[in-house]
Amino acid sequence: MQCPYCNYKESKVVDSRHTDRKSIRRRRECESCKKRFTTYEKIEMTPVMVVKKDNNREYFDREKLKSGILKSCEKRPVSIEQIDDIVYYIENEINKLYISEIETREIGEMVMDKLKEVDEVAYVRFASVYRQFKDINTFVAELKNILTEKGN
């Protein structure tokens, strides 16, 4: 591992710990300048292609997923940790499927299921963009579905 301070190519691991995200945090010490730095190791999964509505394909991008969820949760009492947990859950579920392609519809449904558990307003915001509500009646129908599921 190259030292970020002096660019020396050799370092030793001083401490290793598992993180909550299935990665390993390592404290390293440069063998030349003796400065310490932290690295994170994560298992590299096979890249998954996302099939868009127009049949175009692009690589799954966790940051793009997180950005969409963040927009839905804007000005809502949803923590960054909760959003990271949703993204981690979805990414993990996709990897467990052992597939090379997944449709945006499937990802969108996973996001909506998790958002519904966390914050109903964020869920409706996400659904309104994802399902492309055409008019107010479609929007009201979705709200009625939520209320029916809650038993009100």
Side-chain angles (χ1 to χ4, degrees):
M1 179 62 59
Q2 187 170 328
C3 174
Y5 302 104
C6 71
N7 294 324
Y8 190 70
K9 296 205 182 322
E10 300 294 324
S11 65
K12 66 180 178 181
V13 175
V14 179
D15 180 44
S16 292
R17 295 183 188 171
H18 289 276
T19 67
D20 59 344
R21 296 279 186 245
K22 294 187 179 179
S23 62
I24 298 174
R25 174 188 178 271
R26 298 197 193 278
R27 283 297 286 161
R28 296 178 177 272
E29 182 178 286
C30 175
E31 292 184 357
S32 176
C33 70
K34 303 296 183 206
K35 289 189 179 180
R36 292 188 175 190
F37 56 98
T38 303
T39 60
Y40 292 89
E41 291 181 20
K42 182 179 171 186
I43 297 173
E44 185 174 50
M45 303 303 287
T46 305
V48 175
M49 297 299 287
V50 177
V51 181
K52 316 271 293 177
K53 290 177 185 173
D54 62 3
N55 280 329
N56 282 332
R57 287 161 170 72
E58 61 183 51
Y59 286 112
F60 174 79
D61 182 355
R62 75 182 323 272
E63 291 306 314
K64 188 173 180 179
L65 176 64
K66 184 175 179 177
S67 173
I69 296 170
L70 276 167
K71 288 175 189 168
S72 299
C73 296
E74 202 168 273
K75 297 185 182 177
R76 297 297 307 152
V78 180
S79 69
I80 291 295
E81 289 79 24
Q82 288 174 299
I83 293 169
D84 284 338
D85 287 345
I86 292 170
V87 172
Y88 175 75
Y89 170 82
I90 292 168
E91 187 175 34
N92 201 35
E93 288 300 302
I94 291 169
N95 287 329
K96 280 197 267 183
L97 294 172
Y98 299 109
I99 55 176
S100 58
E101 292 186 342
I102 187 167
E103 293 182 11
T104 55
R105 176 189 51 76
E106 294 176 72
I107 296 172
E109 294 296 328
M110 285 188 231
V111 171
M112 288 190 296
D113 288 345
K114 296 309 276 182
L115 279 178
K116 196 182 290 187
E117 295 171 12
V118 173
D119 187 89
E120 290 171 341
V121 172
Y123 161 77
V124 171
R125 285 178 177 172
F126 188 88
S128 68
V129 172
Y130 172 71
R131 291 202 174 132
Q132 298 176 337
F133 292 163
K134 303 289 184 225
D135 55 26
I136 193 71
N137 293 329
T138 315
F139 188 78
V140 170
E142 188 65 34
L143 292 176
K144 285 181 182 176
N145 287 341
I146 292 172
L147 293 173
T148 302
E149 287 175 11
K150 285 182 78 173
N152 290 338

